[in-house]
Amino acid sequence: MDKLKMTAKVIRQDEIAYEIYSLLISAKEIADIAKPGQFVNLYSADKSRLLPRPISICEIDKTAGTLRLVYRVVGDGTKEFSALTSDHTIEVMGPLGNGFTLEGKKAIIIGGGIGIPPMLELSKQLDCEKSIVLGFRDEEFLSEEFDPYGTVYKSSDAGNIGVKGTVMDAIKEYGITGDVIYACGPIPMLRAISDYALANGITAQISMEEKMACGIGACLACVCKSKKVDEHSKVKNKRVCKEGPVFYAGEVEF
Ligand code: FES
């Protein structure tokens, strides 16, 4: 089934770290068909803000018909969403993007910063041995929720959480190995992971959702170079929000 646009009821919202919010909405029709690594677009009630905001799906509960979205406040749109409470509804469209392909026997799941939330539903659904590597700036969030699904390793820029440095530093420090990598986070992190995977012959699925702006193919802010000519545009580029956000390492350039 294709994407849907609907009015979703807000069930609850909590600030789980500084300017990072966890929003639970009732959106049964979208939850029914959503996959890990996909995202939804949230629409502002302020009609002067026409472009929606793409937000990754952190958890999908098909039984309850709910989606959990964890996002960082980065501008007026997300600031408005952060004020939503259980009295409110919100316009939502989804599920969008391609999501992760579940594969491999020994996975390394890597989330950096606000790229951590989509890795939670993936960690739940992926049925194999899992090392989960989470990279923070200086404040930890969501990490204890990963504990039931694999061995969790941490790194932080400030050095106050886990290994001081990047997620790649943690992978080296702990000698973490696997036959498939799943990653989402800031572009420099994804570039380093992609280079590491290609150099070591490891399959890597990389979610580039950080590059997205409108999420609906309208602003072209998300275009990245691809190795092959794109069937849609006939040039060597891909829109992260349409053809992604998940790509195989080597498929796109950062
Ligand atoms: Fe605007 Fe992709 S995010 S075109």
Side-chain angles (χ1 to χ4, degrees), residues 54 211-223 239-242:
K211 255 184 94 71
M212 294 191 299
C214 73
I216 52 171
C219 72
L220 301 185
C222 66
V223 167
R239 288 166 300 171
V240 172
C241 66
K242 286 283 177 187

Side-chain angles (χ1 to χ4, degrees), residues 18-173:
Y18 177 67
E19 297 217 313
I20 295 180
Y21 288 81
S22 169
L23 174 66
L24 187 67
I25 58 171
S26 178
K28 180 163 175 29
E29 291 81 355
I30 298 175
D32 275 346
I33 53 174
K35 296 195 312 180
Q38 289 190 299
F39 65 97
V40 295
N41 267 346
L42 293 185
Y43 289 79
S44 170
D46 177 349
K47 295 298 172 227
S48 70
R49 282 198 280 278
L50 288 176
L51 289 179
R53 292 286 171 274
I55 312 267
S56 67
I57 299 173
C58 173
E59 286 189 279
I60 306 161
D61 186 334
K62 292 187 194 292
T63 311
T66 58
L67 294 174
R68 182 184 182 197
L69 312 173
V70 172
Y71 62 94
R72 191 196 300 275
V73 172
V74 288
D76 292 343
T78 41
K79 181 95 203 141
E80 176 193 319
F81 303 147
S82 71
L84 292 169
T85 68
S86 55
D87 297 333
H88 295 108
T89 58
I90 173 107
E91 292 297 304
V92 54
M93 184 165 71
L96 299 168
N98 55 359
F100 291 108
T101 302
L102 306 187
E103 61 181 334
K105 292 193 173 66
K106 194 176 177 202
I108 311 175
I109 295 177
I110 309 170
I114 207 60
I116 291 172
M119 309 322 267
L120 184 56
E121 184 62 33
L122 174 72
S123 299
K124 275 190 191 174
Q125 291 197 22
L126 195 59
D127 186 18
C128 69
E129 189 183 334
K130 283 162 276 190
S131 298
I132 299 165
V133 188
L134 306 177
F136 301 94
R137 209 179 283 164
D138 58 5
E139 191 182 10
E140 198 169 345
F141 61 94
L142 281 184
S143 49
E144 73 286 355
E145 297 192 47
F146 283 85
D147 286 339
Y149 309 114
T151 310
V152 178
Y153 304 90
K154 300 169 199 169
S155 70
S156 56
D157 299 340
N160 58 331
I161 308 153
V163 170
K164 179 169 170 46
T166 66
V167 288
M168 284 308 308
D169 293 326
I171 286 170
K172 285 176 191 148
E173 172 103 12

